[in-house]
């Protein structure tokens, strides 16, 4: 195992827990009308005003973004893209293999 092997696996495991939450929220946001989905931005902003952090709202924010992208572009973010987005949000360096939709 390389110098960062175990630490890397541990960090990826943490990222996967968050990404899994994003995926589980998919059904919730699929059922919303376009207007209800659009209003999620206001709801997320209100949650921030009420004391939640960006990390608290991240799974919902990513799930809303994923559903909006699907409705507008007919494209859904892949799981690895969600992982990469979470890593970047956390200020980490993220690397994906070619072909994973960067």
């Amino acid at each position: 195992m390389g110098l960062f092997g175990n630490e890397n696996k541990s960090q990826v495991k943490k990222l996967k827990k968050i990404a899994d939450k994003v995926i589980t929220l998919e059904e919730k946001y699929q059922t919303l009308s376009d207007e209800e989905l659009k209003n999620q931005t206001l709801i997320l902003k209100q949650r921030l005003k009420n004391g939640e952090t960006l990390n608290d709202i991240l799974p919902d924010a990513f799930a809303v973004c994923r559903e909006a992208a699907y409705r507008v572009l007919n494209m859904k973010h892949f799981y690895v893209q969600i992982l990469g987005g979470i890593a970047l949000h956390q200020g980490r360096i993220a690397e994906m293999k070619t072909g994973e939709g960067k």
Side-chain angles (χ1 to χ4, degrees):
M1 182 73 29
L3 182 62
F4 299 107
N6 289 333
E7 177 65 21
N8 225 16
K9 283 185 179 183
S10 172
Q11 294 303 317
V12 170
K13 190 175 180 179
K14 290 177 185 177
L15 294 176
K16 284 183 175 183
K17 284 184 181 182
I18 300 168
D20 290 344
K21 288 180 187 176
V22 174
I23 298 300
T24 61
L25 290 167
E26 179 176 16
E27 194 172 311
K28 172 184 175 181
Y29 292 113
Q30 281 178 339
T31 62
L32 299 181
S33 69
D34 287 350
E35 191 63 29
E36 289 171 323
L37 188 66
K38 182 179 173 183
N39 288 334
Q40 292 305 305
T41 300
L42 298 173
I43 292 169
L44 292 170
K45 285 181 178 182
Q46 188 60 48
R47 286 175 57 186
L48 288 172
K49 285 182 183 177
N50 292 341
E52 290 188 65
T53 67
L54 289 175
N55 288 329
D56 294 332
I57 70 164
L58 185 138
D60 286 284
F62 274 39
V64 167
C65 177
R66 189 171 188 245
E67 180 61 26
Y70 181 68
R71 291 183 189 190
V72 174
L73 303 171
N74 200 33
M75 298 171 77
K76 230 173 226 189
H77 295 86
F78 294 112
Y79 187 79
V80 293
Q81 291 172 311
I82 296 168
L83 285 174
I86 296 165
L88 292 173
H89 165 75
Q90 293 177 348
R92 300 175 187 276
I93 297 171
E95 179 182 356
M96 288 187 225
K97 293 179 182 177
T98 301
E100 292 180 327
K102 296 178 190 164

